[in-house]
Amino acid sequence: MYRGNNRFASRQPPTEVARSPQHTSVPANMSPAAAKVGLVNLSEAAGARVSFPSGLSGYPFALVYRRYLFHESSTVIHLFHALSGLSLAAFNFAGSQLYHSAVCILVQFLMLRLMGRTVTTVLCSFTFQMVYLLAGYYYTATEEYDIKWTMPHCVLMLKLVGLSFDYYDGGKEPSQLSSDQKKAALQSVPSLLEVCGFSYFYGGFLVGPQFTLRSYQRLVAGELTDCPGKPPNSAIPAMKRFALGFLCLVIYTIFSPYYPDSYYLTDEYEAQPFWYRCVFILLWAKVILYKYVSCWVIAEGVCVLTGLGYNGVVEGEHQWDACANMKVWLFETTPLFGGTISSFNINTNAWVARHVFKRLKFLGNKTLSHVTTLLFLTIWHGLHSGYVLCFSMEFFIITVERQALALVRDSPLLTKLSNSALYPLIYVVQQFIHWLFMGYPLVPFCLFTYDKWLKVYSSIYFCGHVFFLVAFLIMPYLRKALVPKKERSQKQE
């Protein structure tokens, strides 16, 4: 129960068994201290039974590669990466589930080998890989976040489809390609063993990050290093990423028992005051995202340790962020929705931008391209209605935020206010609104089904929809009131 005004400070974990999004059970009366005792408890409480132990095992594999295989032939290295990734798959999933990835890899290789550099190859690859993934979702999905073969398969699907795009781009004239496409374009068909090593690479098989076959080829050739001819000096950068990821995991482990998804569906949540329900969403969103942050940053450390994370030299310093999936500092400090999106799941967003958004240029409409891209992301995540609501709400929020930023930029009064001594207070208000309405679309994303997220949204009176709809409708009038007529006429021209 909650007494007095100090509700959040005195709150205990729910009195019922709370399921994490990973379909693991966390005893509701478990204290935060007990939740962090031992590696097994840490992993289970964080819902990281797959990601965390398997992410850790990537570090020994990376050390073996650096110490014993760096100078070996490409065949040996491909074989090691493929077998290492397969061992992770066998550890996490039933043996009978391993054939799904093997089938898709083999079919993709045969498409490249037999169909050549054609639009038909790209379309067939996209259709086959996407349909296979969606069929997996359809036959295995429940109303919880399931740890099944489909979890790493959605990562693999992007890799294999990206492979067909990159092979197709390799047949174009360089003048027809963007800088990113030139870096990723493949000049020849990779071998089956090469595709297996790329697909099962232990640094990105389970949770990402996304990287191109061309980057993987450079890794195998020993080119991704700050010491030509020697393993990279990347141990310290890798350990920094691991330490940061582990810290995020500990934060999630400590606080997640207090903010389980299941609490939304209890009578207790519905009985709380409106302000409490909203603030709970804010704090829950902040905690729940640390689960993803921790997995991605730990996986990034593996890539950095092997050298795959090497990104050249900038201002005399070697960079190790080629596989960065999180900009943690930006994620923690930005008061903008766009800032959070640009700091989160970076490599997947880059993949979607390169292979979906930019290739829809023929539509001739940027908004339509954006909507189509979000539709792809919605389907790629799964078949639940919660994903549709999440990404449609994201589009609406970003649209309103861009209009608001343009208003502040064009209005002398608002520009002056944003640069005044009041900005710290404005920043606090921005952050509150930012995280409240970051959590708002995350509710259907994590609760999945219509009956669950509708219950939560009804309990808070669809405040996110109301807030942004009102903001969208009044924005033109605010521009008329706050932007000088000269500025408005220049924008129209």
Side-chain angles (χ1 to χ4, degrees), residues 134-144 146 148 150 382-384:
L134 294 180
Y137 287 152
Y138 180 80
Y139 286 108
T140 66
T142 66
E143 294 184 1
E144 303 292 338
D146 303 301
K148 293 186 175 71
T150 52
L383 302 175
H384 293 297

Side-chain angles (χ1 to χ4, degrees), residues 175-196:
S175 59
Q176 297 178 289
L177 304 177
S178 67
S179 58
D180 289 338
Q181 290 171 340
K182 288 177 183 177
K183 292 177 183 178
L186 297 171
Q187 302 304 318
S188 60
V189 181
S191 68
L192 179 59
L193 183 59
E194 192 172 19
V195 175
C196 288

Side-chain angles (χ1 to χ4, degrees), residues 9 11 14 25 64 96 116 119 126 147 154 163 174 222 235 278 313 321 339 347 356 363 373 379 397 406 414-415 439:
R11 189 172 188 272
S25 297
V64 169
S96 60
V119 174
F126 186 93
I147 298 297
C154 67
L163 182 60
C278 290
V313 180
D321 57 355
N347 280 286
V356 181
L363 294 176
T373 301
I379 298 172
I397 289 173
L414 295 180
T415 299

Side-chain angles (χ1 to χ4, degrees), residues 61-379:
F61 288 143
L63 290 173
V64 169
Y65 162 71
R66 288 168 55 95
R67 178 66 179 85
Y68 300 106
L69 302 176
F70 186 83
H71 297 288
E72 293 294 331
S73 68
S74 59
T75 299
V76 173
I77 296 175
H78 293 321
L79 190 61
F80 172 74
H81 289 160
L83 292 177
S84 300
L86 277 168
S87 68
L88 291 180
F91 172 77
N92 288 294
F93 311 108
S96 60
Q97 296 182 12
L98 294 181
Y99 74 87
H100 295 290
S101 59
V103 166
C104 289
I105 291 170
L106 179 60
V107 170
Q108 185 64 51
F109 170 75
L110 292 175
M111 284 183 184
L112 298 181
R113 179 69 70 176
L114 301 177
M115 299 177 69
R117 302 180 195 272
T118 63
V119 174
T120 303
T121 304
V122 175
L123 293 176
C124 288
S125 171
F126 186 93
T127 303
F128 174 80
Q129 302 294 352
M130 195 67 173
V131 169
Y132 199 104
L133 177 64
L134 294 180
Y137 287 152
Y138 180 80
Y139 286 108
T140 66
T142 66
E143 294 184 1
E144 303 292 338
Y145 193 100
D146 303 301
I147 298 297
K148 293 186 175 71
W149 63 269
T150 52
M151 187 193 78
H153 201 86
C154 67
V155 177
L156 178 64
M157 176 262 171
L158 296 186
K159 278 187 178 181
L160 296 178
V161 171
L163 182 60
S164 67
F165 275 115
D166 294 339
Y167 182 59
Y168 175 71
D169 288 341
K172 293 183 177 180
E173 292 295 326
S175 59
Q176 297 178 289
L177 304 177
S178 67
S179 58
D180 289 338
Q181 290 171 340
K182 288 177 183 177
K183 292 177 183 178
L186 297 171
Q187 302 304 318
S188 60
V189 181
S191 68
L192 179 59
L193 183 59
E194 192 172 19
V195 175
C196 288
F198 164 69
S199 301
Y200 287 118
F201 177 70
Y202 44 83
F205 173 64
L206 290 176
V207 295
Q210 291 294 323
F211 52 89
T212 64
L213 178 60
R214 187 70 195 96
S215 294
Y216 174 77
Q217 289 173 335
R218 294 185 64 205
L219 171 72
V220 173
E223 297 175 11
L224 295 181
T225 176
D226 56 340
C227 302
K230 297 180 181 179
N233 293 313
S234 58
I236 292 178
M239 289 305 103
K240 286 181 179 179
R241 301 311 286 175
F242 170 77
L244 180 59
F246 188 79
L247 174 62
C248 293
L249 182 61
V250 170
I251 292 171
Y252 176 74
T253 301
I254 292 173
F255 291 103
S256 60
Y258 292 94
Y259 301 99
D261 300 353
S262 59
Y263 184 65
Y264 284 120
L265 306 178
T266 63
D267 295 334
E268 188 176 16
Y269 175 79
E270 204 162 351
Q272 300 296 342
F274 173 73
W275 70 265
Y276 181 95
R277 281 172 265 159
C278 290
V279 175
F280 181 89
I281 290 176
L282 182 153
L283 297 175
W284 165 82
K286 192 68 175 173
V287 170
I288 199 74
L289 289 177
Y290 277 118
K291 171 180 59 181
Y292 303 99
V293 174
S294 63
C295 292
W296 288 332
V297 175
I298 289 173
E300 180 194 343
V302 177
C303 295
V304 171
L305 191 59
T306 61
L308 190 62
Y310 185 65
N311 203 18
V313 180
V314 177
E315 296 181 354
E317 292 191 8
H318 295 284
Q319 304 297 309
W320 302 98
D321 57 355
C323 292
N325 233 2
M326 285 294 308
K327 295 178 180 176
V328 179
W329 180 251
L330 177 62
F331 174 78
E332 293 292 346
T333 59
T334 181
L336 302 176
F337 297 96
T340 299
I341 291 172
S342 65
S343 69
F344 194 81
N345 205 2
I346 297 169
N347 280 286
T348 299
N349 290 338
W351 187 100
V352 173
R354 186 169 70 252
H355 293 308
V356 181
F357 180 76
K358 292 181 180 179
R359 294 179 191 269
L360 292 173
K361 191 175 181 179
F362 68 89
L363 294 176
N365 187 302
K366 195 171 183 178
T367 299
L368 183 57
S369 297
H370 193 179
V371 170
T372 306
T373 301
L374 286 176
L375 178 61
F376 165 77
L377 278 173
T378 300
I379 298 172

